[in-house]
Amino acid sequence: MGVKGHEYWMRQALIMAQKAADMGEVPVGAVVVKDDELIAAAHNQPILKHDPTAHAEIQVLRLAGEKLNNYRLIDTQLYVTLEPCAMCAGAMIHARIGALFFAASDAKTGAAGSVYQLLQSDKLNHRVPVEGGLLADESTAMLQTFFRQRRKKR
């Protein structure tokens, strides 16, 4: 790992998650890093974009592909504040992400070990090393606060 370290990059993803929350979106943020340099940062936007695929991970993969001028994101690391769903895990496999780091686990839709383990499947042509739990408490607290406030508004 580079000079900045995993915690630094996850904190950048948490900043993006807060931006999502401020916009009324579920607070999930993501960053793509290569050689200890930020390539792209994004957050959830399905509500604002009217797009069910506009998860933070999909958004950041698109931006990183544009910046690197390649749909293959080899030797990159993706940091995300919530364990990816099956759609996002599939996109990471197709992009050939070098490694995934996530904060909070998702016991309902997590595809990096909680419900499914797509990223390490021997049935697929690429495996993504995964490390979960990085700043999980902070991410979980942000998610819980968001949903608690949402329930109060109903």
Side-chain angles (χ1 to χ4, degrees):
M1 183 71 235
V3 175
K4 293 179 180 147
H6 299 305
E7 187 173 314
Y8 173 85
W9 293 116
M10 188 59 75
R11 289 205 182 282
Q12 301 310 301
L14 284 165
I15 290 168
M16 297 308 294
Q18 186 59 55
K19 286 184 180 187
D22 294 344
M23 298 170 77
E25 297 277 2
V26 175
V28 178
V31 299
V32 169
V33 175
K34 184 171 184 172
D35 300 326
D36 208 30
E37 179 183 325
L38 179 67
I39 302 302
H43 55 79
N44 264 7
Q45 296 184 61
I47 297 168
L48 291 169
K49 290 192 173 204
H50 310 287
D51 179 356
T53 70
H55 290 192
E57 301 95 322
I58 300 297
Q59 300 290 97
V60 82
L61 289 172
R62 288 176 178 153
L63 292 169
E66 288 173 12
K67 180 158 185 186
L68 296 175
N69 202 29
N70 196 336
Y71 74 105
R72 298 282 197 230
L73 302 177
I74 297 167
D75 297 326
T76 61
Q77 298 78 46
L78 193 151
Y79 293 82
V80 64
T81 59
L82 181 64
E83 181 180 359
C85 68
M87 173 183 70
C88 294
M92 289 176 206
I93 291 164
H94 287 289
R96 305 296 194 268
I97 289 291
L100 167 69
F101 300 89
F102 70 86
S105 295
D106 187 342
K108 293 183 180 178
T109 64
S114 291
V115 178
Y116 305 105
Q117 182 43 285
L118 294 180
L119 296 168
Q120 292 293 307
S121 174
D122 60 2
K123 296 183 184 330
L124 300 173
N125 62 343
H126 179 71
R127 284 162 208 62
V128 178
V130 175
E131 183 179 324
L134 186 63
L135 301 180
D137 291 345
E138 291 177 44
S139 179
T140 299
M142 190 181 297
L143 287 159
Q144 288 173 339
T145 298
F146 176 83
F147 286 113
R148 197 174 308 118
Q149 290 172 344
R150 218 166 164 198
R151 283 189 294 276
K152 283 181 185 177
K153 291 179 182 178
R154 290 183 185 173

